[in-house]
Amino acid sequence: MNKTLIIMDEVDGMSSGDRGGISAIIDMIKKTKVPIICICNDRQATKIRSLAGHCYDIKYHKPNKKMVADRLADIIKL
């Protein structure tokens, strides 16, 4: 059985030149059973706030240098 997933990157950029883009994504989220991952850099953008009400919000933080070095060391050991 094939599983489908939609990934939409830079959704915060959609609001700058695209009219109705965010509302179209919200409509799609409401209607589809396919999981949709929306990625943005500016979570506080006004139009993203309306989208966020229809999403599970996960925040990621930039890893520090030690975390990156430790992870690279783990990968090298494999």
Side-chain angles (χ1 to χ4, degrees), residues 7-18 21-22 25 37-42 45 48 51:
I7 299 175
M8 300 194 66
D9 193 10
E10 300 292 339
V11 294
D12 49 335
M14 289 183 69
S15 60
S16 61
D18 187 10
I22 296 293
I25 293 173
I37 297 174
C38 297
I39 303 169
C40 71
N41 295 321
D42 185 7
I48 296 300
L51 175 63

Side-chain angles (χ1 to χ4, degrees), residues 7-64:
I7 299 175
M8 300 194 66
D9 193 10
E10 300 292 339
V11 294
D12 49 335
M14 289 183 69
S15 60
S16 61
D18 187 10
R19 293 185 178 190
I22 296 293
S23 61
I25 293 173
I26 292 170
D27 289 342
M28 189 169 44
I29 289 170
K30 289 178 180 178
K31 294 177 184 175
T32 187
K33 294 185 187 231
V34 175
I36 301 172
I37 297 174
C38 297
I39 303 169
C40 71
N41 295 321
D42 185 7
R43 170 63 180 80
Q44 299 307 315
T46 304
K47 292 198 175 186
I48 296 300
R49 290 184 198 154
S50 60
L51 175 63
H54 303 279
C55 300
Y56 180 74
D57 194 8
I58 301 174
K59 295 174 181 77
Y60 289 92
H61 301 281
K62 183 177 179 178
N64 62 39

